[in-house]
Amino acid sequence: MKDMEKALEAVDLILLPVSENPDISLKKPGTVADLYDTFSLTLLANLTGNPSITIPGPIRENTAGPAFQLIGKRFDDAGLLALAARISDIQAREI
């Protein structure tokens, strides 16, 4: 947790992919391990207690585009949600 706090001293948030594989099929994963592997990069926020939100990618031809996650400073949930709402508004205009 201390490393995360130190990383967020110089920035407002951290932007990371949700998955190592940007081409996530909309089909069900074969095993539970496959499901966990798909979202393994979301563990950072889960383990540190930092607020995070996932911004989905566009869906094209039965495949979801790369999603990303925003991780904010602890106890700044409102700031993170406000930024996510602005990003969502921008994405909605581009569709």
Side-chain angles (χ1 to χ4, degrees):
M1 284 178 39
K2 289 181 182 182
D3 289 340
M4 180 62 100
E5 288 177 15
K6 187 173 183 175
L8 285 166
E9 285 177 1
V11 296
D12 293 327
L13 58 89
I14 296 173
L15 173 72
L16 294 172
V18 170
S19 173
E20 294 177 24
N21 180 5
D23 185 28
I24 300 173
S25 171
L26 297 179
K27 297 176 185 172
K28 291 184 180 180
T31 66
V32 173
D34 292 340
L35 177 65
Y36 287 134
D37 287 345
T38 300
F39 299 103
S40 63
L41 297 178
T42 63
L43 289 175
L44 179 61
N46 293 331
L47 295 174
T48 62
N50 289 73
S52 68
I53 191 164
T54 297
I55 309 293
I59 296 176
R60 294 188 185 109
E61 298 180 17
N62 214 25
T63 300
F68 60 93
Q69 62 181 315
L70 302 172
I71 301 175
K73 296 178 181 180
R74 291 189 71 184
F75 309 112
D76 188 24
D77 301 53
L80 184 64
L81 290 173
L83 178 60
R86 292 190 70 200
I87 292 170
S88 180
D89 289 345
I90 291 167
Q91 283 181 325
R93 280 188 244 135
E94 292 179 1
I95 293 178

